[in-house]
Amino acid sequence: MRGIILSILAGVFISLQGVFNSRVSEELSPWHTTTIVHLIGFVFSAIIYLFIRDGKRKGFQEVPFVYVLGGMLGVVIVIGEMAAIQLLGISMAIAILLIAQLLCAFLVDARGLFGMNKIQITIYQVIGMGMMIAGVTIFKL
């Protein structure tokens, strides 16, 4: 149940962040906005870390370097989402974003990429994915 609640909260926050970032980038450039967003996120994370102190510092040596570069993906996410919202509107941008995210996750699960457990894909999941794509197509009409 906790995972479901956290997923719902993250989904709501992704949409809100997209709207907020898009509004900021109307006054500033997308690159200024992305820099501010990540700087504020870093400061917020650092403050929380000072209180929680979970994890271990030596863990950095154990993590493959390519995974540490995930922060660069965040830059692409923020820039792409801001531009998509301005071009398509929030509903369509998020709908397409979620389908792309689900398709990618589907591929990672099916292939067991990046050290993730390989999960058997069922026909029901494939049908569900098709229904989502059809739903966004109908939504766009």
Side-chain angles (χ1 to χ4, degrees), residues 119-140:
I119 296 174
Q120 182 67 36
I121 304 302
T122 69
I123 188 66
Y124 298 111
Q125 291 168 320
V126 173
I127 291 169
M129 184 68 67
M131 290 174 68
M132 287 181 68
I133 293 169
V136 169
T137 303
I138 292 168
F139 184 79
K140 177 71 175 151

Side-chain angles (χ1 to χ4, degrees), residues 27-61:
E27 301 299 324
L28 304 174
S29 76
W31 292 109
H32 283 101
T33 302
T34 302
T35 302
I36 291 167
V37 164
H38 284 88
L39 180 62
I40 291 171
F42 170 75
V43 170
F44 186 63
S45 294
I47 290 169
I48 291 172
Y49 175 73
L50 289 174
F51 290 101
I52 296 187
R53 298 278 181 172
D54 61 342
K56 54 187 183 224
R57 281 188 240 165
K58 291 182 181 180
F60 279 114
Q61 298 167 350

Side-chain angles (χ1 to χ4, degrees), residues 5-128:
I5 292 169
L6 290 172
S7 295
I8 291 169
L9 283 173
V12 168
F13 290 162
I14 286 170
S15 294
L16 292 176
Q17 182 191 30
V19 172
F20 293 174
N21 293 347
S22 182
R23 297 302 307 225
V24 172
S25 72
E26 290 173 6
E27 301 299 324
L28 304 174
S29 76
W31 292 109
H32 283 101
T33 302
T34 302
T35 302
I36 291 167
V37 164
H38 284 88
L39 180 62
I40 291 171
F42 170 75
V43 170
F44 186 63
S45 294
I47 290 169
I48 291 172
Y49 175 73
L50 289 174
F51 290 101
I52 296 187
R53 298 278 181 172
D54 61 342
K56 54 187 183 224
R57 281 188 240 165
K58 291 182 181 180
F60 279 114
Q61 298 167 350
E62 299 170 16
V63 175
F65 181 70
V66 69
Y67 296 142
V68 178
L69 298 177
M72 291 189 321
L73 299 177
V75 171
V76 176
I77 292 165
V78 170
I79 289 287
E81 185 181 30
M82 280 187 298
I85 288 170
Q86 290 175 351
L87 294 168
L88 302 171
I90 182 74
S91 298
M92 184 55 64
I94 294 298
I96 293 170
L97 182 146
L98 290 176
I99 287 175
Q101 185 177 1
L102 190 55
L103 283 170
C104 183
F106 205 61
L107 179 65
V108 170
D109 274 347
R111 302 279 186 204
L113 301 174
F114 309 111
M116 299 299 293
N117 291 331
K118 191 173 183 178
I119 296 174
Q120 182 67 36
I121 304 302
T122 69
I123 188 66
Y124 298 111
Q125 291 168 320
V126 173
I127 291 169

